[in-house]
Amino acid sequence: AAARDLGARHVSDRHWTVLCVIGVPAAAVEAGASDWMLPLCTVAGSYLLAWYMLSPRLTGMHAAAVLAPGIALMATPAAFGETGPVTSCALFLLFALMYRLGPAMGGADAKCLMTLALVLPSWPDVPGTPVLWDRTLVPPVLSVTMLALVMALASAVPIALRNIADGRHDRGMLTTLEMEVRNVDPDRHWPVQRPFDGGLTDCRGSPDTARGILSELSEAGVDRVRVTPSVPFIVPMAASLVLLTLLGRPFA
């Protein structure tokens, strides 16, 4: 998924389907519950949540009909003292809400986080790890997200250096660049300006509107526009998962 995100900025749902089909029962087995009912409830509930995540047809009441029993099944182990599935469910719903609210994250990024919440409720028992630091009690998906955010912020450095070289020093110098419209790739650069009243006005960069805005700019005869480079966030998430699994938490 990270390789696809880096190369094409588009990640197929096949990746998350495979991870859920294999990872959900594997996580339930690794939890090692003595009662067979608890892992069965977790697997069934996780698959219902994954169905909601992967099916574009599940909206409104149809989505509620799948989410409600999924949440109930994930909450059942809590009555027997197993809180892991409840935490996984809560994080899954948090990431789903962040995606629904708008510009918090892209669809593939959200599905990656929701998938990790289901298939990685705790750190895997890999012999010889962690190498340096102790494991943290924070759920793995949260640790991965935080470290990935730090890595992603590093993309601001080359953007700032290019703006400084161009003599630009303003509020957007860490996140936006000026490019020729003909060179803008809508999968990698999202315009943050659009034609308005004979000039340009600021707008939010988004993969959903990039192509439409580029068409507007071309029709208006605009030669240069400010864009925000897209960050393939699944790449630092994959790197963070490997680093944290092998080394343990990076901060004391």
Side-chain angles (χ1 to χ4, degrees):
R4 288 289 299 167
D5 196 25
L6 181 62
R9 297 297 197 273
H10 176 75
V11 181
S12 167
D13 283 350
R14 290 194 301 267
H15 298 83
W16 321 125
T17 302
V18 171
L19 279 170
C20 287
V21 168
I22 298 174
V24 165
V29 170
E30 188 169 350
S34 57
D35 189 341
W36 63 269
M37 184 187 72
L38 300 185
L40 182 61
C41 287
T42 302
V43 170
S46 296
Y47 279 157
L48 286 173
L49 296 182
W51 182 18
Y52 162 76
M53 173 183 72
L54 295 169
S55 176
R57 298 182 179 180
L58 288 179
T59 58
M61 293 302 297
H62 294 93
V66 172
L67 279 175
I71 294 171
L73 286 167
M74 293 289 280
T76 299
F80 299 88
E82 297 285 343
T83 59
V86 177
T87 302
S88 294
C89 181
L91 291 172
F92 178 95
L93 296 174
L94 172 64
F95 296 133
L97 178 63
M98 290 173 64
Y99 173 66
R100 295 295 181 187
L101 288 178
M105 62 181 71
D109 300 337
K111 289 174 183 177
C112 180
L113 290 171
M114 288 188 280
T115 299
L116 288 179
L118 295 178
V119 306
L120 204 64
S122 60
W123 291 106
D125 185 14
V126 180
T129 63
V131 177
L132 297 180
W133 294 283
D134 293 333
R135 287 273 161 77
T136 176
L137 297 178
V138 175
V141 66
L142 290 182
S143 296
V144 168
T145 303
M146 294 305 296
L147 183 55
L149 284 171
V150 173
M151 292 181 177
L153 287 174
S155 65
V157 175
I159 295 175
L161 291 176
R162 176 171 167 179
N163 281 318
I164 291 173
D166 292 341
R168 179 178 177 232
H169 306 85
D170 56 24
R171 186 178 58 181
M173 65 178 295
L174 297 177
T175 56
T176 65
L177 296 169
E178 186 174 297
M179 295 183 61
E180 293 187 5
V181 172
R182 63 182 180 180
N183 294 332
V184 175
D185 181 345
D187 291 323
R188 298 174 181 273
H189 311 103
W190 305 334
V192 293
Q193 293 176 313
R194 68 189 316 162
F196 178 76
D197 198 20
L200 293 175
T201 186
D202 293 339
C203 63
R204 183 175 67 85
S206 169
D208 300 326
T209 60
R211 283 178 170 79
I213 294 177
L214 283 176
S215 297
E216 295 176 10
L217 292 166
S218 297
E219 292 174 1
V222 177
D223 295 327
R224 300 183 67 83
V225 66
R226 299 215 64 80
V227 301
T228 180
S230 65
V231 177
F233 192 57
I234 296 175
V235 175
M237 280 198 285
S240 298
L241 179 59
V242 173
L243 288 173
L244 291 171
T245 300
L246 296 179
L247 303 180
R249 58 183 176 181
F251 307 107

